[in-house]
Amino acid sequence: MSTPLKPHLSFLQILSMNFGFFGIQYSFGLQQANMSPIYKYLGADEASLPLLWLAGPITGLLVQPIIGAMSDRTISRWGRRTPYFMIGAILCSICLLFMPYSPTLWFAASLLWILDAANNVTMEPYRAYVSDRLNRNQHSLGFLTQSAFTGLAQTLAYLTPSLLFWFGVNKDAVNESNIPNITVIAFLIGSVLSLTTVWWSIHSTPELPLTNQERDAISAKPTGIKATFTEIVQALREMPPAMRQLWWMKLFQWYGMMCYWIYIVPSLAKSMFDTTDATSQGFRDASLLNGQIGGFYNFIAFMAAFALIPLTRRFGPKIVHAICLMLAGLGMWFLPTLQDKALLFIPMVGIGLAWASIMGNPYIMLARSIPPERAGVYMGIFNMFIVLPMIVQMLTLPLYFDSLLGGDPRHVIQLAGCFLGIAALLTLRVKTND
């Protein structure tokens, strides 16, 4: 059920329609940079950190395919995807507002469940919205623009605590939950951005109105919970071969990325400041340092996203993605061996290139292999390919963190590098319709 003729959008229009992704990814950046430190401030031990991160993957596993299938069948005065954008953005804004005031570990973990559910409600239809709104020849620009906003948003999310410190906010001042005040302010900023940026995209670039044929086709489909789950099951059975092959790449890619995000602050605390004590100044400095190098790799991702557009058009998303993943894998392998702060920024270049590619090129490969009328449900299922590896990582890593990795977070970062290298090789096996 593809729209027969979609208007060609200018670069500025594509930027405007994807601006909401900035707010969504600022929120994700805050989580990546701050949830492990927040959990540690509230008393968590390192071996249990993956289990405390389970909220995101499990909510994504449940929410994204359901919301995707529902948005495919939605007819409203606001459009197919727009209602989900706004509901998710409002909930996300509320959760970000309260997260840094979490009084206990269980409260923060519970709030993360709601926050991730809200982000997923917003993000999955956003992917389908780009596929709906753009012709095939603009998919590369559309999805890699989302990747650019991801890099820019997460650059600022990572750097916000350091910027606040440079502007005079005391980095050692904490609230009653032992959470630094600079973290509190960063989450307040995220609360505002999550809502306002999504509203701007909806206002500036509304969805295309459905044709009578499209309305009739949607109206003819059964509705309700049973119909939604039936659609998901049927889509899984009829999954295109390229999408099945992408699963194996994403398994290792996202297992590795979660290893990095969860353990990068403890790894830096150990390698740079020789501490594992979350109450020490060294650990707080490691968190700030992670914000700086994380902001740098996300800035690289922001710049690289635009540079990857002509490369992807010339060489195809598969080749470009494999090279980017391999560079990130090498960077993560050497990162824990470095003790000079300046040298830490070198591996961040490879990680930034990979992050730009991760947020764009797999979706280009996917969009070329799925039927347009099922973009929502397949985008939701494809995002299951993100959360399932995360769940596997969080359930399995605690089992061998001490026995195989010596209880050393630096070894987890090197494991992440190995897995990204494997993902690069598996990318080359995907048969795409370039």
Side-chain angles (χ1 to χ4, degrees):
M1 186 175 61
S2 97
T3 305
L5 182 63
K6 301 175 185 177
H8 185 89
L9 298 187
S10 69
F11 179 62
L12 288 178
Q13 287 175 311
I14 292 176
L15 284 178
S16 188
M17 74 178 288
N18 282 311
F19 187 51
F21 224 69
F22 177 88
I24 297 170
Q25 293 299 328
Y26 189 93
S27 171
F28 275 116
L30 288 176
Q31 294 177 51
Q32 292 167 14
N34 295 288
M35 285 314 301
S36 282
I38 285 175
Y39 285 149
K40 290 279 286 180
Y41 296 142
L42 295 173
D45 61 88
E46 289 179 357
S48 67
L49 287 178
L51 296 176
L52 292 168
W53 275 73
L54 268 174
I58 290 182
T59 53
L61 180 65
L62 297 174
V63 170
Q64 291 198 21
I66 294 173
I67 293 297
M70 289 173 62
S71 69
D72 281 342
R73 296 164 182 256
T74 295
I75 299 177
S76 77
R77 57 181 292 190
W78 301 283
R80 298 168 74 190
R81 320 293 182 185
T82 300
Y84 302 97
F85 295 170
M86 288 308 301
I87 292 172
I90 292 169
L91 287 175
C92 180
S93 181
I94 293 171
C95 291
L96 289 172
L97 186 64
F98 286 101
M99 178 63 79
Y101 297 102
S102 299
T104 61
L105 188 60
W106 71 263
F107 187 95
S110 300
L111 201 55
L112 184 61
W113 283 77
I114 304 172
L115 175 59
D116 272 301
N119 271 324
N120 283 311
V121 167
T122 305
M123 187 172 66
E124 192 289 321
Y126 218 122
R127 297 286 193 188
Y129 165 58
V130 172
S131 183
D132 293 342
R133 200 67 169 78
L134 300 177
N135 290 304
R136 177 189 168 103
N137 63 356
Q138 289 196 296
H139 279 170
S140 295
L141 182 57
F143 285 115
L144 286 171
T145 299
Q146 285 192 346
S147 177
F149 273 125
T150 297
L152 179 60
Q154 295 193 5
T155 296
L156 295 176
Y158 272 85
L159 283 178
T160 297
S162 292
L163 292 173
L164 292 170
F165 168 62
W166 294 332
F167 282 121
V169 179
N170 185 354
K171 68 181 176 64
D172 295 317
V174 299
N175 65 10
E176 59 275 9
S177 299
N178 198 41
I179 296 172
N181 289 342
I182 54 176
T183 302
V184 175
I185 297 172
F187 274 77
L188 294 178
I189 293 171
S191 177
V192 174
L193 289 176
S194 290
L195 186 58
T196 55
T197 58
V198 171
W199 176 87
W200 173 260
S201 288
I202 293 171
H203 175 74
S204 65
T205 317
E207 295 184 63
L208 292 173
L210 295 172
T211 64
N212 291 333
Q213 182 182 1
E214 288 172 330
R215 284 180 173 274
D216 292 342
I218 293 174
S219 298
K221 292 180 180 180
T223 58
I225 297 297
K226 181 179 179 181
T228 298
F229 281 99
T230 300
E231 170 67 10
I232 294 170
V233 172
Q234 185 179 2
L236 285 168
R237 290 174 178 169
E238 299 172 2
M239 189 185 303
M243 189 172 174
R244 294 180 185 273
Q245 294 166 343
L246 284 166
W247 153 253
W248 295 105
M249 176 273 290
K250 292 180 72 98
L251 172 63
F252 287 91
Q253 171 184 284
W254 287 103
Y255 195 112
M257 291 305 298
M258 284 308 296
C259 286
Y260 176 83
W261 287 327
I262 294 175
Y263 283 97
I264 182 59
V265 172
S267 176
L268 290 172
K270 184 71 174 176
S271 64
M272 300 295 294
F273 302 99
D274 194 28
T275 183
T276 59
D277 182 4
T279 63
S280 67
Q281 180 179 339
F283 194 91
R284 290 192 294 271
D285 288 342
S287 183
L288 278 177
L289 178 58
N290 177 53
Q292 294 160 20
I293 64 173
F296 179 74
Y297 91 67
N298 277 289
F299 180 73
I300 293 293
F302 167 62
M303 300 298 292
F306 295 111
L308 290 179
I309 293 172
L311 293 175
T312 296
R313 287 174 176 167
R314 180 172 181 181
F315 300 107
K318 178 172 67 174
I319 298 298
V320 173
H321 191 55
I323 293 173
C324 291
L325 288 180
M326 188 60 70
L327 291 173
L330 290 172
M332 289 184 186
W333 177 263
F334 288 106
L335 182 62
T337 68
L338 304 176
Q339 295 182 316
D340 186 329
K341 179 179 176 180
L343 294 179
L344 294 176
F345 291 89
I346 297 175
M348 292 301 112
V349 175
I351 296 172
L353 290 172
W355 189 229
S357 185
I358 285 170
M359 298 304 294
N361 281 317
Y363 293 93
I364 298 170
M365 290 186 268
L366 175 68
R368 294 176 178 179
S369 67
I370 59 175
E373 68 273 13
R374 302 177 87 177
V377 67
Y378 274 125
M379 287 291 178
I381 292 172
F382 197 58
N383 282 311
M384 289 172 62
F385 291 2
I386 299 174
V387 299
L388 282 171
M390 291 180 176
I391 293 172
V392 172
Q393 187 267 357
M394 293 169 188
L395 293 177
T396 58
L397 189 62
L399 300 178
Y400 62 84
F401 177 73
D402 291 317
S403 59
L404 296 182
L405 301 176
D408 192 331
R410 294 171 296 184
H411 295 161
V412 182
I413 302 301
Q414 292 184 316
L415 176 68
C418 293
F419 277 13
L420 287 185
I422 294 171
L425 297 176
L426 291 172
T427 302
L428 298 175
R429 298 178 63 251
V430 179
K431 296 180 181 179
T432 58
N433 299 320
D434 293 337

